[in-house]
Amino acid sequence: MFGERQVVLDEDDVREDPFAKERGKLKLAPGEVPMMTYVEPGMQVTTIEVPAMADVKVWHNLIYQLQAASGVVVLRGLGHSGWDKDIYMYMSELWAEICEVVEARPSFIINVAKGDVRSMQCTLAALADVSLATPDASFGFPEAKLGGLPGVTAYALRKRVSDDDVSRLITTGDTIDAREAQRIGLVDFVGDVEVEVARLIYRHCQPKVTKVMYKPDCEKAWKQQEEQHQSKG
């Protein structure tokens, strides 16, 4: 994924000389070969801040952003969410739609968890391709102690966490710290999340350069270089 990639085309790989039209115009020194360079742009980056509590319009806007985003998507949860039985069913439907959008899109999702991550916000860590957390982050489902069952989050958690651990989290309501979350698979990295986000963006968003050469030209250049070495010897 880093640096340049070189491809040498054999005569069996192409129907004709790929440099035939330009070969007469090329001025090559002994040992040099014609080469085509292809540059594939790196992924674009989208950062989405996800509030714990917000108006309905904000949630619809979040779904739209996820539908439109491509490349690397960095999710950042904001605030602390609580469990409200009056809006639980409606929020469950919204989060179910968020899960469907994430599963349908070919994005590379990075989630950044800081502080107390509760209830539905835990879904972000479960859906991410790479889940990051600060050392002081914690995760939990306090609604379990009030009789609430985070069904959508439980579904998302199973993508990362074993059934036994999912059952423990959503039935006991116990809070786990970042290291325990890493141990059970909900988190991939605990530490300086901003440095890790920068590293991941650098890794996945660098342009990819491919240099293409033709094997007969390479063989000719190798032969010329060999002859030069022999004449000097």
Side-chain angles (χ1 to χ4, degrees):
M1 197 169 289
F2 299 103
E4 298 179 347
R5 186 169 71 102
Q6 293 187 345
V7 176
V8 178
L9 297 176
D10 200 341
E11 293 172 284
D12 296 331
D13 297 326
V14 291
R15 295 183 178 179
E16 58 183 17
D17 181 356
F19 301 98
K21 294 182 180 179
E22 302 295 330
R23 191 172 292 280
K25 305 175 185 177
L26 298 174
K27 296 181 180 180
L28 301 173
E32 292 183 342
V33 298
M35 178 173 56
M36 292 183 287
T37 301
Y38 296 94
V39 179
E40 180 182 346
M43 294 189 206
Q44 65 183 37
V45 182
T46 304
T47 298
I48 303 176
E49 295 181 336
V50 184
M53 305 294 288
D55 185 78
V56 173
K57 292 181 179 179
V58 175
W59 292 109
H60 288 163
N61 185 55
L62 169 62
I63 292 172
Y64 174 76
Q65 289 183 75
L66 289 171
Q67 290 173 332
S70 62
V72 175
V73 178
V74 181
L75 300 178
R76 296 177 179 272
L78 299 177
H80 306 289
S81 62
W83 186 69
D84 188 334
K85 63 182 179 60
D86 295 326
I87 63 171
Y88 173 72
M89 291 304 297
Y90 180 71
M91 289 302 300
S92 293
E93 292 177 1
L94 283 175
W95 277 99
E97 188 171 352
I98 290 172
C99 290
E100 290 177 3
V101 171
V102 170
E103 290 175 350
R105 297 289 296 166
S107 303
F108 181 79
I109 296 179
I110 303 169
N111 181 66
V112 178
K114 297 182 178 181
D116 299 331
V117 182
R118 299 291 183 268
S119 302
M120 295 291 190
Q121 290 286 88
C122 295
T123 310
L124 300 176
L127 292 175
D129 295 289
V130 178
S131 179
L132 313 178
T134 56
D136 66 339
S138 62
F139 303 82
F141 301 92
E143 65 266 33
K145 296 181 179 180
L146 301 174
L149 181 64
V152 175
T153 306
Y155 162 79
L157 284 172
R158 285 186 168 86
K159 297 178 180 298
R160 284 181 158 268
V161 182
S162 69
D163 288 344
D164 289 342
D165 287 322
V166 171
S167 178
R168 173 170 63 91
L169 288 172
I170 67 174
T171 56
T172 65
D174 292 342
T175 300
I176 61 173
D177 61 20
R179 291 298 179 185
E180 175 64 9
Q182 185 179 34
R183 186 191 70 79
I184 66 175
L186 182 58
V187 168
D188 300 309
F189 172 89
V190 177
D192 191 332
V193 293
E194 301 306 330
V195 171
E196 184 64 9
V197 167
R199 187 190 71 81
L200 290 168
I201 290 175
Y202 179 82
R203 177 180 181 183
H204 291 278
C205 300
Q206 286 291 303
K208 299 176 183 178
V209 179
T210 302
K211 295 185 175 181
V212 181
M213 293 166 280
Y214 192 39
K215 188 174 181 179
D217 291 325
C218 294
E219 291 175 340
K220 181 179 178 181
W222 294 331
K223 186 176 181 181
Q224 290 174 338
Q225 290 178 345
E226 194 175 313
E227 291 174 349
Q228 285 182 339
H229 288 308
Q230 290 177 351
S231 62
K232 289 180 180 179

